[in-house]
Amino acid sequence: MKITDLLKKDTVIIDLAATSKDAAIDEMAKKLDIAGRLKNFDGFKKAILMRESQSTTGIGEGIAIPHAKTDAVKIPSILFAKSVEGVDFESLDGQPAHLLFMIAASAGANNEHLETLSRLSSLLMDATLRDDLLAAQSPEDVIRIIEAKENEEDSHIGSNGNKEDSEQLILAVTACPTGIAHTYMAADALKAKARERGITIKVETNGSTGVKDALTAEEIDKAIAIIIAADKQVEMNRFAGKHIIKVPVAVGIRKPDELLDRALNQDAPIFNVTGETKSQHEETMAEGKFKEYFYKPLMNGISNMLPFVVGGGLLIALSFLIGGINAEGPFAEALNLIGGGNAFALLIPVLAGFIAMGIADRPGLAPGMVGGFLAASGGAGFLGGLVAGFLAGYVVIGLKNLFSHLPQSFEGIKPVLLFPFFGMLIVGLMMIFVVNTPVKWIMDGLTAWLNSLSGTNIILLGIILAGMMAVDMGGPINKAAFTFGIAMIDAGHYAPQAAVMIGGMIPPLGIALATTFFKNKFTVAQRDAGKTNYVMGLSFITEGAIPFAAADPIRIIVSSVIGAAIAGGLALYFGCTLQAPHGGIFVIWAVHNPLMYLVSLVVGAVVTAAIVGLWKRPIEENIKGI
């Protein structure tokens, strides 16, 4: 099947009117709907936006490929749209997309359809094709250009590898969540660059049609390094003992040369099934160990705990709205019981369980949750839960190594008997007799110190916590402050979370105000994105500010930290406390002294907006390089 069997004149937009990402997706989806390619417009658009939320489909070089595989599609299709002004798809190179291809794959699409859709992604790596499409003046021109390129490719299809007599073999695996675009573009970029440099490479693709060109045990044994360019999980145990370069799939598309250099130099950690790595460079090894041993498991615990925090926190806040700050009345009491008595009771066990799972995979979950429950019931609180999670994870890793020498016949009983029994036994005994008592002393001391704070001290605490929330906007520093605030709510101290939440709301709100009142300092796309930051900021979603911080890190981050720190200090100066851990403005009734909390929020957002607006140069000056 040819690409032009899926791309027709009635699915071509020569002059896209939309200038923002959301508007562009809407306009293209409507074109597909009008052309009779969709069963359900809303369902298709939802699937497209869901894919966008996983990782950007802006691949650089002025191209974006929003795509989805869903039963909302009636006929598998491709839509082409050309934007003269460009649309910001948050590409890796920071450039707007001028060539947009929307891929609509039906849930039951056969392999032939999916392979054709993927083939389009590969063709777009050709700069000449992109230039020709930019110059196209009609739908007929677009069809003719793509058909000619496809015929040219058919006349000389290349092989996967290159120079089979080469002594050095590099392997790669590419995968994206949907598996119909980025997977194959990354594979083709790596193969094309390897062919150009005379490097032998084989690329396994994990796409919608399944695994293609699967790597064999013999090839893995011969390889000097393996590149994993993926946004989803791939089978890793087969690569034990090999240098592994792990990057997002978009990096495979954008930086194949750099990845090949790293592979040739074996500039990557050595992987083994226990998750340990050995690197040739101490700095890389230290960074890899920190991420692998601490940061990733911690983020796994926090991300899985977050739904309990949000859901439980909103239920608590709603109980206060209905029954007052003491949640009085049958319905208010029921809401408080669900949110505070049950959802919140699971926070520490879930945190510990998923930290352990992030270290030891599924066998770590049960020992981790039991350890977390013992920490919560023993008074060790969140700090005890953190200890329980890491303890359980590495205890199970130790058990895996210990039991690895057992006969093969024991493999079936390890995950259902040996790991849970010995894991719970060891972790439980250590929590009861070793961990809980000293950690409880620490938590009690911390709580007593926080309760004793007043005047300048409490203001300083608010400044520090709120400022931390704005430093990396969802990164490890932000998460550390957020986790501390949740821990203090669990310990019955509600002031820190008031500073944490207000600090997380300031960056997106400040940027939203700046894009509204200093329009000449931002592009049209940035001004459109600024509008959504009002909603994100009021909802306590700090990450809305990240695209702005990525484009102009010093001005945006410094301005955000200053505004957040001022807001946090003011909030605690006015005696504000917060019993709901999440929800932003929608849980204002859970705040003590809500009026002054709103005043603090406005002051902080205005300060951030003013600094950004005065510090940034007008767009015209930026273009001139002044």
Side-chain angles (χ1 to χ4, degrees):
M1 178 178 286
K2 289 191 172 184
I3 292 170
T4 46
D5 291 331
L6 302 177
L7 175 66
K8 300 294 185 180
K9 289 187 289 184
D10 61 349
T11 59
V12 173
I13 303 174
I14 283 296
D15 189 7
L16 189 72
T19 57
S20 69
K21 180 178 178 178
D22 287 348
I25 288 173
D26 188 70
E27 185 177 343
M28 290 188 287
K30 283 180 179 175
K31 181 74 170 177
L32 282 171
D33 193 34
I34 292 169
R37 305 304 201 275
L38 305 181
K39 294 179 186 175
N40 184 321
F41 170 79
D42 291 333
F44 176 70
K45 185 178 176 183
K46 181 179 179 181
I48 287 284
L49 293 175
M50 183 177 295
R51 172 61 186 89
E52 290 294 324
S53 70
Q54 294 171 329
S55 61
T56 178
T57 58
I59 63 171
E61 305 293 348
I63 302 170
I65 310 181
H67 56 275
K69 182 181 177 184
T70 168
D71 57 11
V73 173
K74 182 191 299 183
I75 303 171
S77 305
I78 298 171
L79 179 140
F80 168 78
K82 183 175 69 170
S83 170
V84 176
E85 184 175 341
V87 179
D88 183 8
F89 262 78
E90 301 170 8
S91 303
L92 283 179
D93 59 5
Q95 298 302 310
H98 295 278
L99 301 175
L100 297 92
F101 289 86
M102 178 169 278
I103 297 177
S106 59
N110 58 36
N111 287 356
E112 188 178 18
H113 280 145
L114 293 173
E115 288 171 0
T116 304
L117 295 171
S118 302
R119 191 180 188 191
L120 169 68
S121 307
S122 303
L123 295 183
L124 290 173
M125 302 306 296
D126 185 346
T128 302
L129 174 65
R130 298 196 298 268
D131 290 341
D132 289 344
L133 289 172
L134 285 171
Q137 298 298 313
S138 67
E140 290 80 5
D141 287 347
V142 172
I143 302 297
R144 176 182 52 76
I145 290 166
I146 291 178
E147 191 169 36
K149 179 63 180 176
E150 194 170 20
N151 290 336
E152 177 187 334
E153 289 292 310
D154 286 341
S155 65
H156 52 80
I157 297 176
S159 63
N160 193 310
N162 312 279
K163 296 181 69 175
E164 293 298 327
D165 59 342
S166 172
E167 295 181 359
Q168 294 183 309
L169 171 65
I170 296 172
L171 301 179
V173 179
T174 63
C176 74
T178 308
I180 60 175
H182 290 59
T183 298
Y184 301 96
M185 295 187 75
D188 285 343
L190 287 166
K191 286 187 284 186
K193 186 57 66 174
R195 187 180 302 114
E196 176 185 316
R197 296 177 55 176
I199 299 170
T200 302
I201 190 170
K202 180 177 178 181
V203 184
E204 172 186 296
T205 55
N206 288 215
S208 288
T209 58
V211 174
K212 295 292 183 67
D213 297 315
L215 306 179
T216 67
E218 183 181 359
E219 290 165 340
I220 294 170
D221 185 58
K222 291 180 180 179
I224 61 170
I226 292 102
I227 299 167
I228 309 293
D231 287 337
K232 69 175 185 178
Q233 189 67 32
V234 299
E235 173 55 44
M236 293 294 296
N237 287 353
R238 52 186 167 152
F239 301 132
K242 291 294 179 178
H243 293 274
I244 301 293
I245 302 164
K246 293 183 71 174
V247 296
V249 68
V251 176
I253 299 170
R254 296 286 303 135
K255 300 181 179 180
D257 220 9
E258 179 183 312
L259 293 176
L260 291 171
D261 283 338
R262 289 184 61 191
L264 289 172
N265 296 326
Q266 295 186 316
D267 180 17
I270 292 176
F271 174 81
N272 64 46
V273 293
T274 64
E276 296 176 357
T277 58
K278 296 179 181 178
S279 172
Q280 295 177 326
H281 305 291
E282 291 183 5
E283 182 178 351
T284 303
M285 181 173 66
E287 181 183 355
K289 283 184 176 180
F290 172 76
K291 289 182 177 179
E292 191 71 28
Y293 296 165
F294 181 77
Y295 180 67
K296 286 184 178 179
L298 177 61
M299 289 302 104
N300 191 54
I302 291 175
S303 64
N304 282 284
M305 178 188 71
L306 196 58
F308 295 87
V309 172
V310 177
L314 289 173
L315 286 167
I316 292 170
L318 187 57
S319 73
F320 295 154
L321 176 66
I322 295 170
I325 200 65
N326 294 317
E328 296 174 340
F331 190 59
E333 289 176 2
L335 293 175
N336 197 271
L337 177 64
I338 296 168
N342 289 275
F344 259 44
L346 290 170
L347 294 186
I348 297 175
V350 168
L351 174 70
F354 280 94
I355 287 175
M357 190 174 176
I359 296 168
D361 211 346
R362 189 172 297 178
L365 180 62
M369 291 197 73
V370 170
F373 189 83
L374 287 169
S377 60
F382 262 76
L383 183 57
L386 291 172
V387 174
F390 285 101
L391 174 64
Y394 290 112
V395 163
V396 174
I397 289 291
L399 292 173
K400 286 183 176 182
N401 289 329
L402 179 65
F403 295 143
S404 64
H405 304 293
L406 292 176
Q408 184 68 27
S409 57
F410 282 83
E411 287 299 314
I413 67 169
K414 285 181 184 179
V416 297
L417 175 60
L418 299 181
F419 294 148
F421 173 72
F422 287 102
M424 290 181 193
L425 175 65
I426 296 169
V427 172
L429 291 174
M430 291 189 71
M431 291 301 298
I432 292 171
F433 293 109
V434 179
V435 175
N436 274 358
T437 299
V439 173
K440 184 177 184 299
W441 289 343
I442 294 172
M443 289 297 297
D444 289 345
L446 179 60
T447 301
W449 173 70
L450 287 169
N451 284 324
S452 70
L453 291 179
S454 62
T456 303
N457 290 329
I458 194 71
I459 295 171
L460 181 61
L461 178 67
I463 290 171
I464 293 171
L465 288 174
M468 288 174 66
M469 291 296 293
V471 170
D472 53 359
M473 304 175 188
I477 297 174
N478 172 286
K479 288 294 188 293
F482 179 71
T483 304
F484 179 79
I486 302 299
M488 290 303 98
I489 289 179
D490 183 64
H493 193 83
Y494 306 118
Q497 187 62 16
V500 166
M501 187 174 291
I502 206 169
M505 295 166 72
I506 292 300
L509 285 177
I511 287 168
L513 288 172
T515 59
T516 300
F517 293 102
F518 299 94
K519 295 185 184 214
N520 65 325
K521 306 294 181 76
F522 299 92
T523 65
V524 173
Q526 287 174 328
R527 293 200 295 271
D528 288 338
K531 296 172 186 174
T532 65
N533 270 262
Y534 281 111
V535 177
M536 298 183 84
L538 291 173
S539 303
F540 184 42
I541 302 174
T542 317
E543 287 82 353
I546 289 177
F548 293 86
D552 192 358
I554 294 178
R555 292 182 179 90
I556 297 298
I557 293 174
V558 171
S559 303
S560 297
V561 170
I562 292 172
I566 290 173
L570 285 174
L572 296 202
Y573 170 77
F574 292 127
C576 299
T577 61
L578 177 62
Q579 295 190 45
H582 207 289
I585 200 69
F586 304 104
V587 294
I588 191 67
W589 53 81
V591 175
H592 174 68
N593 201 357
L595 178 60
M596 298 315 297
Y597 196 70
L598 289 174
V599 169
S600 304
L601 180 67
V602 171
V603 170
V606 168
V607 167
T608 292
I611 296 174
V612 170
L614 294 173
W615 196 353
K616 278 182 74 69
R617 302 170 186 170
I619 291 298
E620 294 78 13
E621 291 183 1
N622 284 331
I623 292 173
K624 294 175 183 176
I626 296 176

